[in-house]
Amino acid sequence: MPSRSPDDDPRLGDVSEGTVLRAILARTAPASHTILGPGDDAAVLAAPSGSVVATTDTLVHGPDFRLAWSSGYDLGWKSAAVNLSDIAAMGARPTGLLVALAVPRDMRLSFVEQLADGFRAACEALAPGCSVVGGDLTVSDVLTIAVTALGDLEGRRAVTRSGARPGDAVAIAGELGLAAHGLAVLFGRFRDGETPTPVDAARLAEGEASAVAAQLRPAPPIGLGPVAALAGATAMMDVSDGLALDAGRMAAASGVTIDLARSALGAEPERALAGGEDHALLATFPPDVLPPGFRIVGTVRRAGQTGVLCDGEPVDVAGWDPYRDWDAATG
Amino acid sequence: MPSRSPDDDPRLGDVSEGTVLRAILARTAPASHTILGPGDDAAVLAAPSGSVVATTDTLVHGPDFRLAWSSGYDLGWKSAAVNLSDIAAMGARPTGLLVALAVPRDMRLSFVEQLADGFRAACEALAPGCSVVGGDLTVSDVLTIAVTALGDLEGRRAVTRSGARPGDAVAIAGELGLAAHGLAVLFGRFRDGETPTPVDAARLAEGEASAVAAQLRPAPPIGLGPVAALAGATAMMDVSDGLALDAGRMAAASGVTIDLARSALGAEPERALAGGEDHALLATFPPDVLPPGFRIVGTVRRAGQTGVLCDGEPVDVAGWDPYRDWDAATG
């Protein structure tokens, strides 16, 4: 949709809630699973399997994003993508999103419109058939985007974290460490207030641009979640906090040890092990199965003293913990 | 569950995310619709009708509540209740909640535990069969509770706002104006910092206590949503922003005028018309139908110049609009 001119871009505090909601709704489009879209007390979505898969994840300004780096479009896209990924990780297909926005009232209406455009574009690109079906708008001093994603299992059983068995292959679909590389570029070169929004691609070296894009607008392999489930994945999860930490969670839930192969982790194995926010799919498969889009990165072993090994040795890297790693004062 | 001693009540910033999540999960209990509860990438809930009703609503410290007035238990209860009410307003039965918490890291672990207790108690009291099935925890300077509620239509059609027809009776289940009375008591007598939390009931007159309770721990008639749908309600919605404003929304959606009877609005009709946050159910029924729990408050007429009348005269009251009515500086 056309962008808003500076002369016609009021602050949210100067317009009614209804005006903001109408601006958002004009930019959403119902998709195939929507039975009743936004505008009533609640939405109604198809759940053909007789069950619904549901997850929620929040992005908060500060710990989760910086307005100096991310446009409204970027934030809408990323907020959608990280939630769609959790649906895919159960082997389900996303059917709808609900978006709860808490927005400072000095922000511009155009920002919220760009956010809506980002949500729509991410759904269309990553999860056709899924759309924003409902939401909520309130005012807060801290920009907060809480998203709930819903999905359908299409008759399959949910693929949990707890089904990995000794002898299974450990496989990945999607990037490992690329989003963390992008974050390092942003922290190293573009501190808050030093750069125009969106990030000026001309100031990025080759390789840096794709890493920054992976951080700001991740494109996790949503469609491969159902593919993995159909192929017989024994366990699956979304890698949001780094492969080492998340593989450890899968190992604990399954009562096994996961032994990763450093040679399969790309040019920067440490970043692949520690870097969060890629939203790759980590799955385990019986030894003779590997669906398209997945690559083997290790083997499931019987539970040992350590949940995660790399080439048989314990891995000592930590993932992202907002309560430990974020300080509002120092950034 | 037993309350936490001051010696064993760390600030959230001093413990890991896992510790906080375990403390919360110890206080949730799966209910009958839960197929897969918290702990994986997503939850799985029964959707026996082949569709799912979904809504989201956020409570932000400041516009929506004050920690000086509300305990963690109150906030959990209210956050659940206001979302359950939106499910009931579609004629559906709530099946599950997802809770996205953004919490300042100087808050105590016991606060989050009380919040979980409040969610559980509200579900058990207002919507048996519904429970918290998933959530998200992040850090923010502003305490923010974003809840998504899911529900099942049990084979019925959703009751929207748009089905009211001339000649229908207009009916209410639940309180009108009581929560607004409670808010007035709190604003008039208990400004931030002047009162212990929770509000000291001994300082409240008779009548004030029930009003404050309706504001802090509302008990909307969730079970009457499906009752109204079964009885043939032609339109229904949750009264969250005041009867006049919300009846106007229903009138606009249905293309009718709603004529309210002042004599049916209780001892304080102005407060009933303007006061928000009661989460009563507003429904319209064919003239010969009135299910138990509902009382008639007006009549649906053909669309006139004004959407809402009271005894045939236009109503001029405004409901609650957070972008207009909340100022972080002045409260």
Side-chain angles (χ1 to χ4, degrees):
Chain A
M1 292 187 63
S3 58
R4 192 168 278 275
S5 79
D7 296 341
D8 179 30
D9 192 8
R11 295 185 191 276
L12 296 180
D14 296 331
V15 294
S16 74
E17 189 178 2
T19 300
V20 184
L21 291 176
R22 278 190 294 276
I24 295 172
L25 293 181
R27 288 163 186 259
T28 62
S32 56
H33 287 88
T34 307
I35 298 173
L36 179 69
D40 220 293
D41 293 88
V44 185
L45 268 178
S49 285
S51 69
V52 61
V53 180
T55 183
T56 187
D57 200 12
T58 306
L59 278 75
V60 178
H61 186 233
D64 298 310
F65 62 87
R66 305 291 174 92
L67 287 175
W69 298 339
S70 295
S71 67
Y73 183 92
D74 291 341
L75 284 175
W77 178 291
K78 182 167 180 170
S79 302
V82 302
N83 279 280
L84 295 170
S85 178
D86 282 324
I87 296 295
M90 305 302 289
R93 200 170 302 279
T95 53
L97 300 178
L98 295 104
V99 181
L101 290 179
V103 190
R105 40 191 220 165
D106 61 355
M107 294 196 74
R108 299 283 179 182
L109 185 55
S110 60
F111 175 83
V112 177
E113 290 176 335
Q114 291 166 21
L115 202 68
D117 288 342
F119 270 101
R120 178 173 173 167
C123 285
E124 290 177 351
L126 304 176
C130 178
S131 63
V132 173
V133 296
D136 178 51
L137 177 69
T138 188
V139 65
S140 173
D141 288 343
V142 178
L143 176 61
T144 306
I145 308 168
V147 180
T148 297
L150 304 178
D152 187 68
L153 285 163
E154 301 175 328
R156 298 179 296 272
R157 290 180 58 176
V159 184
T160 67
R161 303 174 176 195
S162 57
R165 296 290 168 258
D168 284 351
V170 179
I172 283 284
E175 302 290 348
L176 286 179
L178 194 60
H181 181 193
L183 190 64
V185 171
L186 291 168
F187 266 112
R189 308 250 312 264
F190 300 100
R191 299 294 295 197
D192 262 11
E194 293 174 22
T195 178
T197 301
V199 169
D200 183 359
R203 292 174 60 191
L204 295 171
E206 198 177 339
E208 290 182 339
S210 62
V212 167
Q215 168 61 223
L216 299 182
R217 293 179 301 280
I222 309 298
L224 293 180
V227 168
L230 276 170
T234 50
M236 185 155 54
M237 67 184 293
D238 160 54
V239 182
S240 53
D241 295 329
L243 178 59
L245 191 62
D246 284 328
R249 291 172 175 150
M250 179 180 280
S254 297
V256 299
T257 284
I258 289 179
D259 191 0
L260 301 166
R262 191 172 298 266
S263 62
L265 299 181
E268 297 190 82
E270 295 311 318
R271 190 166 263 159
L273 286 165
E277 298 193 276
D278 280 308
H279 302 280
L281 289 173
L282 168 65
T284 56
F285 296 98
D288 53 343
V289 171
L290 188 70
F294 284 84
R295 60 192 186 272
I296 291 177
V297 296
T299 307
V300 180
R301 305 199 185 282
R302 277 185 299 175
Q305 288 194 308
T306 310
V308 181
L309 304 172
C310 192
D311 293 342
E313 299 291 321
V315 179
D316 184 23
V317 292
W320 166 256
D321 183 335
Y323 280 98
R324 192 192 58 228
D325 297 335
W326 162 250
D327 184 320
T330 61
Chain B
M1 292 188 62
S3 59
R4 192 169 278 274
S5 78
D7 296 342
D8 180 29
D9 193 8
R11 294 183 191 277
L12 296 180
D14 296 332
V15 294
S16 74
E17 187 177 4
T19 300
V20 184
L21 291 176
R22 277 189 295 276
I24 295 173
L25 293 181
R27 286 161 188 259
T28 62
S32 56
H33 287 88
T34 308
I35 297 173
L36 180 69
D40 219 292
D41 293 87
V44 185
L45 269 177
S49 284
S51 69
V52 61
V53 179
T55 183
T56 187
D57 200 14
T58 306
L59 276 76
V60 178
H61 186 234
D64 298 311
F65 62 87
R66 306 290 175 93
L67 286 175
W69 298 339
S70 295
S71 68
Y73 182 93
D74 292 341
L75 283 176
W77 178 290
K78 183 167 181 170
S79 302
V82 303
N83 279 280
L84 294 171
S85 179
D86 281 324
I87 297 295
M90 305 303 288
R93 199 170 303 280
T95 53
L97 300 178
L98 295 104
V99 181
L101 289 180
V103 190
R105 44 191 215 166
D106 62 355
M107 294 196 74
R108 299 282 179 182
L109 186 54
S110 60
F111 176 84
V112 177
E113 291 176 335
Q114 291 165 22
L115 201 69
D117 287 342
F119 270 101
R120 178 173 173 168
C123 285
E124 289 177 351
L126 304 175
C130 179
S131 62
V132 173
V133 296
D136 179 51
L137 178 69
T138 187
V139 66
S140 173
D141 289 342
V142 178
L143 175 61
T144 305
I145 308 168
V147 180
T148 298
L150 304 178
D152 187 67
L153 285 164
E154 301 175 329
R156 297 179 296 273
R157 289 180 56 176
V159 184
T160 66
R161 303 174 176 195
S162 57
R165 295 290 169 258
D168 284 352
V170 179
I172 284 284
E175 303 289 349
L176 285 180
L178 193 62
H181 182 190
L183 191 63
V185 171
L186 291 168
F187 265 113
R189 309 243 320 257
F190 300 101
R191 299 294 297 198
D192 262 10
E194 294 173 21
T195 179
T197 301
V199 169
D200 182 359
R203 292 174 61 190
L204 295 171
E206 199 178 337
E208 290 182 339
S210 61
V212 167
Q215 167 61 223
L216 299 182
R217 294 180 299 282
I222 309 300
L224 293 180
V227 168
L230 275 171
T234 50
M236 187 154 56
M237 69 185 292
D238 161 55
V239 182
S240 53
D241 294 331
L243 179 58
L245 191 62
D246 283 328
R249 290 172 176 151
M250 179 181 281
S254 296
V256 298
T257 285
I258 289 179
D259 191 0
L260 301 166
R262 190 172 300 267
S263 62
L265 299 181
E268 298 190 81
E270 296 310 318
R271 193 167 260 159
L273 287 166
E277 297 194 276
D278 282 307
H279 301 281
L281 288 173
L282 168 65
T284 56
F285 296 97
D288 53 343
V289 171
L290 188 70
F294 283 84
R295 59 191 188 273
I296 290 178
V297 297
T299 307
V300 180
R301 305 198 185 284
R302 278 185 296 174
Q305 287 194 309
T306 310
V308 181
L309 304 172
C310 192
D311 293 342
E313 300 292 322
V315 179
D316 184 23
V317 292
W320 166 256
D321 182 334
Y323 279 99
R324 193 192 57 225
D325 298 337
W326 163 251
D327 184 321
T330 62

